[in-house]
Amino acid sequence: PVHTSPSPFEPRPSEGINHANVVAMLAARVRRSGSTTALRHRAAGSWRALTWAQWWNRSRALAAGLVEQLGVQ
């Protein structure tokens, strides 16, 4: 049997279109959810969590290094 939806599909815009760029989108998320987990990754055999605030700080450090060491603008 063919499944029909009771209503037509209506795409919802993602949060990203409300911000000028990715940096602004990340900054808004950090303000809302800074202490909550953003990412998990494996390190030394166990899972580690990274909060939104930590991701923000590491991203800024990476960007600063790119500017300082490579002249990226």
Side-chain angles (χ1 to χ4, degrees), residues 1-67:
V2 175
H3 175 68
T4 58
S5 176
S7 62
F9 173 73
E10 294 182 40
R12 297 180 185 165
S14 67
E15 143 182 19
I17 66 169
N18 297 319
H19 303 284
N21 54 51
V22 172
V23 176
M25 183 173 59
L26 180 56
R29 182 59 187 242
V30 170
R31 284 191 300 275
R32 268 196 335 269
S33 313
S35 63
T36 62
T37 299
L39 304 169
R40 295 182 197 280
H41 62 95
R42 282 186 71 85
S46 63
W47 287 97
R48 309 285 170 95
L50 193 67
T51 67
W52 287 100
Q54 289 169 321
W55 190 6
W56 173 258
N57 292 335
R58 291 182 186 190
S59 297
R60 290 185 50 88
L62 174 64
L66 290 172
V67 170

